[in-house]
Amino acid sequence: MPRPLDPEARKQLVARVNYYREMGIYDFYRRPLAEAGNELSAAAMQSAEADSAIPVISTRETSLFDSPLHVAQDKPAALKIIREDIGDCTRCRLHQGRKNIVFGVGSVNADIMFVGEGPGADEDEQGEPFVGRAGQLLNNMIAAMGLARSEVYIANVVKCRPPGNRTPEKEECDTCGPFLLRQIEVIRPRVIVALGAVAAKYLLAVNDSMANLRGRWYDFKGSRLAVTYHPAYLLRDPRQKKEAWKDLQMVMRHLGLKVPARNAPE
Ligand code: SF4
């Protein structure tokens, strides 16, 4: 006969279930009690950060960040839980053609998180974001900032490859995006760089042109968010590389990184 939960544990459990429901996750599975207990203690509460004093242009309104149980202090464990929650996901039609779910890669303690729109063919094949030609350019951009790829975190709005590399549809972004929001919540980077219009529009919940979105800071629940061009777009229109380099220099200045006198990375 299972022991009844004490009121505080019940309250925490209800809060956690409600938290997942807010994200559209309704399926749960049971784990051994000891394991679940460890996880609950790891998911210690953190008080919400005060709103930034930075002039706010727009932020995605979401209750995810207000959940009392949203941040596990053990970041790898918290990311593992998110990956487990994704499971062998069939929540949207993008699952139909995928080979691999492309979760994310990089340092859990990254100051910078790059967010693209979705995996391409190479990423689908290898299960890692930004490993094709656009990924090589992103690597060069990161290196030009004086950083290694392993020092940043990289993820996408949708985790399965859209057929023919088409742009993910809003419905697909809305279905998969909460997993990204949870990754951001765990990583808590100082700066999020939205790569391209899909990531920018999803994260900021606005519908605006890249021309208007770039070149300014957004407050994203404690992180700063900047928008730049997607590396795949830069491969198609290399003239815009110098504009993207300006965006990255803005990020570097904010992080106190030395801005080298050099041309845009190729
Ligand atoms: Fe699930 Fe996201 Fe893949 Fe859609 S894109 S099937 S929501 S993991």
Side-chain angles (χ1 to χ4, degrees):
M1 188 87 170
R3 276 186 302 138
L5 285 174
D6 67 60
E8 184 53 31
R10 173 179 288 276
K11 206 168 128 197
Q12 289 194 0
L13 190 58
V14 168
R16 192 177 183 92
V17 169
N18 287 340
Y19 164 55
Y20 285 121
R21 284 198 172 141
E22 282 172 14
M23 290 185 294
I25 297 167
Y26 296 95
D27 301 325
F28 302 92
Y29 55 91
R30 299 180 69 176
R31 297 190 205 175
L33 196 57
E35 194 182 326
N38 288 341
E39 185 189 310
L40 272 178
S41 61
M45 301 178 199
Q46 273 196 355
S47 58
E49 290 182 4
D51 279 348
S52 167
I54 308 158
V56 175
I57 294 173
S58 173
T59 61
R60 162 172 278 279
E61 286 302 321
T62 170
S63 61
L64 295 185
F65 295 81
D66 301 329
S67 167
L69 286 169
H70 68 274
V71 177
Q73 288 179 335
D74 182 343
K75 291 185 176 188
L79 289 177
K80 188 163 170 275
I81 291 167
I82 299 170
R83 181 63 188 88
E84 286 173 1
D85 287 341
I86 294 175
D88 191 17
C89 185
T90 57
R91 292 174 179 84
C92 83
R93 67 189 142 194
L94 294 183
H95 80 277
Q96 289 165 357
R98 72 154 182 254
K99 285 187 183 158
N100 285 297
I101 289 175
V102 180
F103 181 68
V105 70
S107 168
V108 295
N109 297 312
D111 279 337
I112 307 180
M113 183 163 173
F114 290 93
V115 177
E117 64 180 54
D122 293 314
E123 290 75 18
D124 182 44
E125 195 68 46
Q126 297 182 41
E128 184 172 324
F130 286 94
V131 290
R133 278 186 68 222
Q136 186 54 54
L137 178 54
L138 179 62
N139 290 347
N140 294 346
M141 291 160 71
I142 293 167
M145 298 173 80
L147 298 168
R149 180 177 163 105
S150 59
E151 291 178 279
V152 304
Y153 195 87
I154 307 172
N156 286 307
V157 177
V158 297
K159 315 250 177 268
C160 301
R161 181 194 179 198
N165 291 347
R166 68 161 167 76
T167 302
E169 293 177 3
K170 183 176 182 307
E171 191 186 348
E172 293 155 356
C173 292
D174 287 342
T175 304
C176 199
F179 295 115
L180 170 69
L181 298 181
R182 288 173 63 192
Q183 288 172 290
I184 293 172
E185 201 176 11
V186 170
I187 305 286
R188 295 217 155 211
R190 288 174 65 194
V191 173
I192 299 163
V193 179
L195 298 168
V198 170
K201 289 178 185 179
Y202 175 74
L203 289 170
L204 297 172
V206 295
N207 191 10
D208 208 342
S209 67
M210 283 296 284
N212 287 338
L213 291 169
R214 287 183 48 248
R216 54 183 73 180
W217 284 112
Y218 302 84
D219 174 27
F220 194 87
K221 301 291 181 184
S223 298
R224 288 242 193 141
L225 188 149
V227 176
T228 193
Y229 293 115
H230 193 286
Y233 173 76
L234 296 175
L235 290 174
R236 293 195 297 275
D237 187 356
R239 291 169 304 172
Q240 301 302 331
K241 285 181 179 174
K242 63 178 184 306
E243 293 301 313
W245 183 225
K246 281 185 205 165
D247 299 332
L248 296 183
Q249 288 175 321
M250 181 177 90
V251 171
M252 292 166 73
R253 276 191 290 273
H254 175 68
L255 292 175
L257 298 174
K258 191 163 179 287
V259 179
R262 55 160 291 171
N263 291 331
E266 293 296 324

